[in-house]
Each structure stands twice: as structure tokens, then as C-alpha cells.
Amino acid sequence: MAPPADLRAWIALLEREGELVRIASEVDPELEITEINDRVVKSGGPALLFENVKGSVHPLLINQFGTERRMCLAFDAPSLDSVASKLSDVLEMQPPQGLVDKVKGLQKLKSIADSRPKTVRRAASQEIVLESDDASLDLLPIQTCWPDDAAPFITLPAVITKDPHTGTRNVGMYRMQKLGPHATAMHWQIHKDGRADYLATDGRIEVAVALGLDPVTAYSASAPLPKHIDEFMLAGFLRGEPVELVQAKTVDLEVPANAEIVLEGYIEKDELTDEGPFGDHTGYYTPSEPFPVFHLTAITMRRDAIYPSIVVGKPPQEDAWLGKATERIFLPAIRMTVPEIVDYDLPIAGAFHNCCIVSIRKAFPGHAQKVMHAIWGLGMLSLTKAVVVVDEWVDVHDYEEVMFRVGANVDPARDVLLTEGPLDHLDHAPTRQFYGGKIGIDATHKGPQEGTREWPPEIEMTPEVQALVDRRWDEYGISLDASAGNGRIRQSPGPLRRLLRR
Ligand SMILES: Cc1cc2nc3c(=O)[nH]c(=O)nc-3n(C[C@H](O)[C@H](O)[C@H](O)COP(=O)(O)O)c2cc1C
Ligand SMILES: [Mn+2]
């Protein structure tokens, strides 16, 4: 098995796995689909294929990424961490020792070389070609997601541009507000690569937008890669198959051959429109702001093309799992620069940029502060508002345990770092847009070198008594429901839990 080759293979897989429901009743892309989907996402329900969307002949697929299980199916992997280890294998390559090592090394190098996209001459994504007035966005079942949204928005696009100087491709997921049948806004936020390509181009920049991709390639458009790395290459690596590209019809760009729908067009420098309001992944509406205007020159499609959508809003929403995939897949790359990091967690409720919990192998005074600054200096993690640092033995995914460490180990006068830096484009809390306060909380054990009193030992039962109680458990005749859950703080279950509850 390998990850699905296109959206249709993905839908077939979801169906075989009992992970997809087809809805034959007519539904309205204005708000109704959002309300249905919101209930399904929040209860961990299936992907939804709406076959009869009011006003369009094209079916709409939503919630394809909405659970951890589906995300693993998409990558054809037992866990998201196993996807990450494929990457760390390559990142952590050492000079080979013997012949076997050399052969393995060559295989790894080949897996990188084979990741580069491949050009093909004929493509399913161009079975139908619509140009000039025939190319109309009115054909597509574009959703109006939330009541105060300014218009319908294309929400799951892979937007393709080229750096005018280096020719390097960039692929990013940026929402597109429908302005009419032949134009949209392009929501290139200030820190993003697509915007950098636009700013570096004089006059007109050509743009292509792929809709309805295989799930790994669609995910890759949302991955925060350094600017000079083509997201299609990451997709090829993660799929184990290169992404196939075909020359677009009206612009000088290559587009995925397996896409359901491709929008081709251009953006003129300094032609801006008011974009938004839009009910955003922050859980609030982002207000109207000027963004560039995308003009459509062609739509190409597969026959009976399926339109993909996603709704963001108050977490948890479907995008949580795209974010969790990034959290897991990028851990090996983060460890390359900051090897003392053991693990990290970006809570879904924190909309990813609001909070980062990180565990470290602490080796010297101020180490937690070093790691905070490293996070504030790393790619898109630099936008993180709050960083919480814990010791290596703390499970960063167990928020109760993290809360316990913060409560038990922090002297706010000594262990809280307040600083300033760049913030997410969409964060409404800072007084100024894009820039504001950051907080670092050092919840690690402190040593005398850090000027503290002696740190007390943690409470732990002896292994001997634990083994004795294990052996005798049945004899006591006490039955416990493991899932009833009276706290999950490892090493120190009952009493501390009660302490925290008081
Ligand atoms: C569903 C979804 C919608 C997104 N919408 C936007 C958006 O409208 N504008 C934006 O700048 N980033 C948006 N993002 C985040 C970018 O896709 C992400 O930062 C990506 O790394 C951008 O690619 P780039 O690094 O090549 O710029 C969205 C992500 C997801 C998962
Ligand atoms: Mn990029």
C-alpha cells in the first residue's frame, strides 16, 4: 500500500474504511454545510461527500482530514510519529560504516532524489478546459462558512507561484474570497512565502490554484517549509511517489496532473481589495483588510470534478489535524537545530500559534530560556505567543500533567519571561497588529546554580511495593474502571490530583 494517488482513490479508501458518508439530499453551501459539518467534526464523525449541493453540479467533499485515524490513513502510516521518523531517517543520516550501511544510505538518498516532481504531458486535471468567460467560479459549490462572512470563500486551495529571481516554486494554502465569477481575493498573510513571491515580482505574477488533490499533497500546501523548498517535493517524499505536474494552459506554471480542478490566473502588483470579514481559525471573525486580487484566466477540470472544502472556526475544527500532522512531522527538523528538545505539543485549543509546550533535556542554568528563544526564532513557530518548558520526563501531550508542573515548579517572579516579537497576522489580542508580547514559563526543576533552595524529591512508590500490590491485587477484591479517570498525572496519582482540585 501507499498513500492514495488522487482524491478519488482517497474517497474510495475512506469509503472502504467506513470513514465517509455520502449525502444525497440537497444542501445549501451557504451556512447549512458548515452547521452539518461542525456537528460531525466536533463528535469525531466521518468525512462527508455532499453529492447534491444547491446551485452546482459538482459534489463537495469536507472533513476528509477530521480525525487522527483519517490523517494516518492519508499518509498510509500507523501513526503521525512514524511519518516523522521517515523524515528523521534522512535528516539524521550519518556517514556509512560498512557495505550494508552504504546500500541503506544510497536508498535514503534515492528517496530524496525521487521526491522531485515529474512532468507529464497529459493530465486528468485538464480533461475539461474552460477559458475566458466560460471559466466561471459560479460553477463551483463555494461555501459561505459563517453568518458574517463577506462572501463565499475557497478554503482548501493549493496556491502555486514562482519566485521571480530563483524560479523556485512555492505552494501554500491561502483562502480565496470570491469577488465575482472571474476574481477572488488572495489571503497572503504577511509572513508567508506566497506573499514574498508577490512582493518580489514587478507588475504581474502568475498564479495557479489546485483544488481536490491526493491528501498528502493537499497537506503539503499547509506545511511551513523554508521558502526555498518546494512543497511538492515534500509531498513526493512523504508519498514515496513524485507529484506529477503538467504545464498549465494559460500561465507559465506547472500544476498537479491529478487535481480535480485547477484555477489559472494572475495578480497585478498593488491591485488590492477589501478581504473579509471571515470566521477564522482563531474562533473570531477577522476584520476586513486589503489583500491582492486574483484574476481568473482559465479553469481546467477532470470530468465530474469533486470540489474540496474545509471550515475553520472555534476549535476543534478539521484543520486541527492538518496542524497536528505538521506538529509531528516537523519534530525531527526542529530537533536538528535544537537537539535538547524531547517533544512538543501545540494545543488545538491554542489555535497552534498561541501556545507551545516543550520538554527538554535540561543541562545548564537558563536552558529553558534558551529553548524559549530558539522557538521564537524558528520558522512559523516564531509567532508562538506562550512557550511552556518542562523537563524531559513530562508528557507534553498530557495537559493536566503540564498544569501540575507549572503550578508546582514555577516562581512567577523568577521563572516567567515576558518579551516581545512578531505575532500571527490574525491575532486580534495585541494592541498593534503583527507585533506584541510573548510569555515564556519555565516549569523545569531548578538547581542551586539557578539560585534556588534545594529542590525536593518527587513522591514515588518503591518498585518493590508496586510489584507486591500488583501480585496481590486480585486478592483485595477491588475493581477499578481504568477509563473512569481520576487524573492522569504520572508518578503521582491520587493525592496530588486532590490537591489540584481543592
Ligand atoms: C485550512 C487552512 C487555511 C489556511 N488559510 C490561510 C490563509 O488564508 N492565509 C495564509 O497566509 N495562511 C493560511 N493558512 C496557513 C498556511 O497554509 C501555512 O502557513 C503554509 O505554510 C503557507 O505556505 P508558505 O509557508 O509556503 O507560505 C491556512 C492553513 C490551513 C490548514
Ligand atoms: Mn513555502
Side-chain angles (χ1 to χ4, degrees), residues 220-283:
S220 304
S222 76
L225 289 177
K227 170 126 187 6
H228 58 280
I229 302 179
D230 178 359
E231 282 80 1
F232 284 154
M233 170 140 169
L234 175 70
F237 179 79
L238 295 174
R239 275 158 41 112
E241 280 288 332
V243 175
E244 292 191 345
L245 299 175
V246 67
Q247 178 61 42
K249 294 289 179 187
T250 60
V251 292
D252 184 20
L253 289 168
E254 291 171 315
V255 298
N258 73 1
E260 294 290 319
I261 302 164
V262 175
L263 312 178
E264 300 181 5
Y266 62 88
I267 287 173
E268 295 285 4
K269 193 66 162 284
D270 300 330
E271 185 191 356
L272 301 177
T273 185
D274 285 335
E275 202 265 6
F278 177 73
D280 228 310
H281 78 287
T282 56

Side-chain angles (χ1 to χ4, degrees), residues 12-152:
L13 173 64
L14 290 173
E15 219 156 16
R16 280 200 304 279
E17 292 287 332
E19 290 280 352
L20 180 125
V21 171
R22 290 174 185 267
I23 297 99
S25 313
E26 188 186 76
V27 293
D28 201 328
E30 186 172 338
L31 306 186
E32 188 181 358
I33 292 182
T34 300
E35 178 61 20
I36 299 167
N37 188 55
D38 197 47
R39 297 181 192 194
V40 175
V41 171
K42 290 205 160 63
S43 58
L48 304 173
L49 186 62
F50 291 100
E51 296 178 319
N52 189 0
V53 186
K54 194 172 153 191
S56 175
V57 298
H58 296 284
L60 179 148
L61 176 70
I62 197 164
N63 202 21
Q64 57 176 307
F65 298 114
T67 63
E68 185 169 13
R69 173 158 198 264
R70 284 206 287 287
M71 215 63 215
C72 292
L73 283 172
F75 285 100
D76 185 33
S79 68
L80 292 172
D81 280 314
S82 70
V83 181
S85 60
K86 205 175 145 182
L87 210 62
S88 59
D89 265 5
V90 172
L91 289 175
E92 287 161 17
M93 260 178 82
Q94 301 290 336
Q97 298 282 325
L99 189 60
V100 178
D101 238 27
K102 279 188 185 146
V103 173
K104 276 196 193 143
L106 282 176
Q107 281 165 350
K108 284 180 193 168
L109 286 177
K110 188 169 178 305
S111 73
I112 306 177
D114 289 351
S115 310
R116 289 185 45 200
K118 190 166 96 182
T119 311
V120 296
R121 298 186 69 83
R122 291 173 61 83
S125 60
Q126 296 181 335
E127 281 171 354
I128 296 170
V129 178
L130 304 170
E131 289 187 49
S132 57
D133 275 357
D134 290 341
S136 168
L137 296 172
D138 291 344
L139 296 170
L140 304 178
I142 304 174
Q143 274 188 275
T144 302
C145 299
W146 297 105
D148 289 345
D149 281 6

Side-chain angles (χ1 to χ4, degrees), residues 161-170 197 200 227-229:
T161 51
K162 267 193 217 159
D163 182 310
H165 303 302
T166 63
T168 312
R169 183 176 18 248
N170 190 69
D197 285 349
K227 170 126 187 6
H228 58 280
I229 302 179

Side-chain angles (χ1 to χ4, degrees), residues 4 6-8 10-11 14 19-20 37 40-41 45-49 60-74 155-157 173 211-219 260 306-311 318-319 321-322:
D6 62 12
L7 190 74
R8 293 178 193 203
W10 174 223
I11 288 173
L14 290 173
E19 290 280 352
L20 180 125
N37 188 55
V40 175
V41 171
L48 304 173
L49 186 62
L60 179 148
L61 176 70
I62 197 164
N63 202 21
Q64 57 176 307
F65 298 114
T67 63
E68 185 169 13
R69 173 158 198 264
R70 284 206 287 287
M71 215 63 215
C72 292
L73 283 172
T155 51
L156 202 61
M173 191 172 282
L211 298 164
L213 297 166
D214 67 272
V216 173
T217 307
Y219 156 74
E260 294 290 319
I306 299 161
Y307 173 84
S309 194
I310 189 168
V311 171
E318 182 182 348
D319 60 324
W321 292 104
L322 290 170

